[in-house]
């Protein structure tokens, strides 16, 4: 399964950086969504280290009828087309960019950054980040921060490549001003499947509070996007950025659920 996961590696000639196998403990963590296609709506999984307790969110409330569309691995030549599709549907997304790809797609990155959509960090070189020593982890986040700054972005969200994160990495991301976010619905579009399979995988997991994972690097993903947005509209779901999603989740915390699920005391 790790082999499959590694096929999502980006065309940066950095395969060597990914050659160290993960520990068994981390393998379980990073493989969850890839194995099952869907992952639990719980804080520890979805936004590790956040003070927002998702158990206190009432997903039946109208304010919770939002889906965060997240599109990883750009900037990419497909992005302007994706922007057009989003605009046509009144939808928004969060693009998680790889710092090292920004210089070659500078114009596109700037276009997305000023489009009303959100741009987050997906590291500089897309490594299996927890395999890196602390100074290289820091370098990878800091370099991406510089690359994003070159297109006017100060990211507040971090998407770890492969969903590979541990407490120290989430804390480092926070130090850089970013919350870490995984996903609840995995399109598995990196497996080179067709648009109809991608659409089906997402649509069966479209629900209030969902965080959908897609990749801008795949033509099939772009082809699947209109039908996904239309199905969301039919169900009364709004597609929003990560920051709008978080705000909607916080608005949907109810006193009753907060009493049932008191936040753990933090040290
Ligand atoms: Zn990625």
């Amino acid at each position: 399964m790790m082999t499959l996961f590694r096929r999502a590696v980006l065309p940066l000639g950095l395969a060597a950086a990914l050659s160290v196998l993960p520990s068994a403990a981390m393998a379980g963590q990073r493989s969850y969504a890839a194995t099952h296609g869907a992952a639990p709506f719980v804080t520890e999984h979805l936004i590790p280290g956040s003070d927002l307790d998702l158990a206190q969110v009432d997903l039946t409330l109208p304010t919770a009828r939002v889906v965060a569309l997240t599109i990883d691995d750009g900037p990419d030549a497909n992005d302007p087309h994706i922007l057009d599709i989003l605009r046509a549907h009144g939808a928004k997304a969060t693009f998680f960019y790889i710092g090292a790809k920004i210089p070659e797609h500078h114009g596109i990155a700037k276009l997305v950054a000023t489009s009303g959509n959100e741009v987050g960090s997906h590291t500089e070189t897309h490594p299996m980040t927890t395999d890196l020593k602390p100074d290289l982890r820091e370098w990878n986040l800091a370099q991406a921060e510089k690359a994003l700054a070159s297109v006017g972005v100060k990211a507040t969200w971090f998407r770890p490549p492969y969903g590979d994160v541990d407490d120290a990495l989430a804390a480092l991301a926070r130090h850089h001003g970013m919350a870490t976010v995984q996903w609840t619905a995995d399109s598995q579009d990196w497996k080179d499947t067709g648009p109809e399979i991608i659409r089906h995988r997402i649509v069966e997991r479209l629900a209030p509070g969902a965080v959908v994972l897609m990749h801008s690097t795949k033509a099939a993903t772009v082809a699947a996007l209109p039908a996904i947005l239309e199905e969301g509209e039919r169900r009364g779901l709004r597609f929003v950025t990560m920051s709008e999603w978080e705000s909607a989740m916080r608005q949907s915390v109810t006193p009753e659920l907060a009493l049932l699920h008191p936040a753990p005391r933090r040290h």
Side-chain angles (χ1 to χ4, degrees):
M1 189 184 55
M2 276 303 120
T3 311
L4 279 178
F5 225 25
R6 276 155 196 276
R7 285 173 57 201
V9 170
L10 287 149
L12 292 169
L14 294 161
L18 301 164
S19 61
V20 183
L21 280 169
S23 72
M26 283 312 300
Q29 184 176 344
R30 67 167 62 108
S31 64
Y32 195 106
T35 307
H36 303 285
F41 182 80
V42 297
T43 299
E44 190 184 271
H45 170 80
L46 189 53
I47 38 175
S50 174
D51 68 335
L52 168 62
D53 184 352
L54 294 177
Q56 299 179 353
V57 174
D58 182 352
L59 291 172
T60 67
L61 290 174
T63 48
R65 296 197 70 77
V66 295
V67 171
L69 204 57
T70 66
I71 305 176
D72 288 10
D73 292 1
D76 188 272
N78 284 325
D79 289 358
H81 189 190
I82 293 172
L83 286 185
D84 288 342
I85 296 170
L86 292 172
R87 201 173 293 124
H89 290 270
K92 285 191 189 162
T94 301
F95 293 76
F96 283 101
Y97 277 175
I98 297 166
K101 290 177 77 175
I102 289 177
E104 65 175 298
H105 296 291
H106 197 264
I108 285 174
K110 228 168 171 172
L111 183 72
V112 172
T114 55
S115 66
N117 293 279
E118 191 159 20
V119 175
S121 171
H122 199 38
T123 73
E124 177 68 7
T125 62
H126 207 274
M128 206 63 103
T129 317
T130 65
D131 290 342
L132 302 179
K133 293 198 169 74
D135 58 337
L136 280 177
R137 290 184 181 203
E138 166 58 25
W139 179 88
N140 226 291
L141 293 199
Q143 283 300 117
E145 197 171 359
K146 277 187 205 162
L148 288 167
S150 80
V151 292
V153 169
K154 174 79 183 90
T156 58
W157 291 93
F158 172 62
R159 165 65 54 70
Y162 317 100
D164 168 36
V165 68
D166 57 19
D167 289 345
L169 181 57
L172 184 62
R174 268 198 301 285
H175 181 71
H176 284 266
M178 301 182 292
T180 296
V181 62
Q182 305 277 39
W183 55 84
T184 64
D186 184 358
S187 66
Q188 300 182 42
D189 52 359
W190 49 270
K191 287 180 176 173
D192 284 328
T193 43
E196 178 49 30
I197 293 174
I198 292 170
R199 186 199 66 81
H200 178 74
R201 283 201 191 108
I202 296 292
V203 157
E204 69 178 352
R205 288 156 191 140
L206 272 187
V211 177
V212 172
L213 170 64
M214 307 178 87
H215 296 85
S216 54
T217 46
K218 302 290 176 185
T221 303
V222 184
L225 190 53
I228 291 168
L229 297 178
E230 280 155 27
E231 181 57 30
E233 285 162 33
R234 262 194 292 278
R235 299 187 195 174
L237 295 166
R238 286 190 303 123
F239 291 90
V240 299
T241 64
M242 275 316 307
S243 291
E244 290 166 340
W245 175 93
E246 187 189 26
S247 164
M249 293 303 109
R250 287 191 189 275
Q251 276 178 50
S252 308
V253 167
T254 63
E256 294 79 8
L257 285 173
L259 271 177
L260 268 175
H261 304 280
R265 186 183 289 271
R266 290 183 186 276
H267 301 284

